[in-house]
Amino acid sequence: EIMRKVNEFVIKHNICNSSAMHLRTTDLDRIMGERKRLNIKSFFKFVESRPEEEKIFILTDHPDIQKLFIDQYGTKKIIFYQEIIESSQQLPITLSTTNISILPMEHRYTSLEHTVIDVIIAAHAKVFKPSPYSSLSELVKIFEYIGKKDRKW
């Protein structure tokens, strides 16, 4: 089912002739500290460095980042598998021991299925800009290697 969704999106948007980028922002900045923060300007430069007609697939777990790039470049340039729902519209996690409902600081705005689909789609792109220090970006590179070597993407 996941690969069916991936294949439909990859074909529909010609991802093999597009670029992709991963912006991890929900927790990495806090964990890595000031010196190793994500340089969002480098991602704007990446988009602007690509040919005008080329689409850019965005892989992120934060609705504000997704919206920022869509607002800047539009949906003809920036493509995504699924619009990320704002945190105010998401169901909080209920802590069973305290009866308190919260969205934790490191809350991910995407489901595991959405994340897996995003990773495999991004792995099909001809150019990929990773988030520094992100294991998810490394996973995209692993899938890219396997896809190009074994599956002839």
Side-chain angles (χ1 to χ4, degrees):
E1 178 66 13
I2 286 176
M3 284 309 296
R4 182 189 60 76
K5 291 176 181 180
V6 167
N7 288 332
E8 285 176 3
F9 190 91
V10 166
I11 292 166
K12 179 181 178 183
H13 295 283
N14 195 16
I15 297 297
C16 295
N17 290 310
S18 301
S19 291
M21 59 185 183
H22 173 222
L23 290 96
R24 179 177 172 191
T25 59
T26 52
D27 65 340
L28 201 57
D29 283 353
R30 187 179 55 77
I31 292 168
M32 299 304 286
E34 192 73 33
R35 290 186 47 217
K36 295 183 179 177
R37 286 228 164 119
L38 183 76
N39 179 358
I40 199 153
K41 289 179 184 176
S42 72
F43 288 88
F44 283 111
K45 286 180 182 176
F46 174 73
V47 173
E48 291 165 8
S49 75
R50 305 308 304 155
E52 188 177 327
E53 68 283 354
E54 185 179 280
K55 295 177 183 178
I56 311 288
F57 178 76
I58 185 169
L59 163 60
T60 185
D61 59 357
H62 203 292
D64 295 344
I65 295 297
Q66 188 183 61
K67 185 176 180 339
L68 178 68
F69 279 85
I70 291 167
D71 288 350
Q72 179 74 25
Y73 300 103
T75 55
K76 288 189 193 272
K77 183 71 171 175
I78 302 297
I79 57 175
F80 49 89
Y81 175 70
Q82 194 172 57
E83 186 174 358
I84 304 171
I85 300 171
E86 296 288 335
S87 62
S88 62
Q89 298 173 357
Q90 290 191 9
L91 296 175
I93 297 168
T94 302
L95 303 175
S96 60
T97 57
T98 61
N99 227 8
I100 297 173
S101 294
I102 61 166
L103 281 177
M105 281 180 62
E106 295 179 5
H107 176 69
R108 296 293 193 264
Y109 295 88
T110 55
S111 69
L112 180 58
E113 178 180 316
H114 179 157
T115 302
V116 169
I117 289 170
D118 273 358
V119 165
I120 300 170
I121 290 171
H124 280 78
K126 67 179 179 181
V127 176
F128 176 66
K129 178 167 177 55
S131 265
Y133 312 105
S134 170
S135 57
L136 194 66
S137 283
E138 290 300 318
L139 186 60
V140 170
K141 291 177 185 178
I142 291 168
F143 272 86
E144 177 187 29
Y145 175 79
I146 292 168
K148 288 182 176 165
K149 181 177 181 272
D150 296 339
R151 306 236 180 225
K152 308 295 183 237
W153 290 346

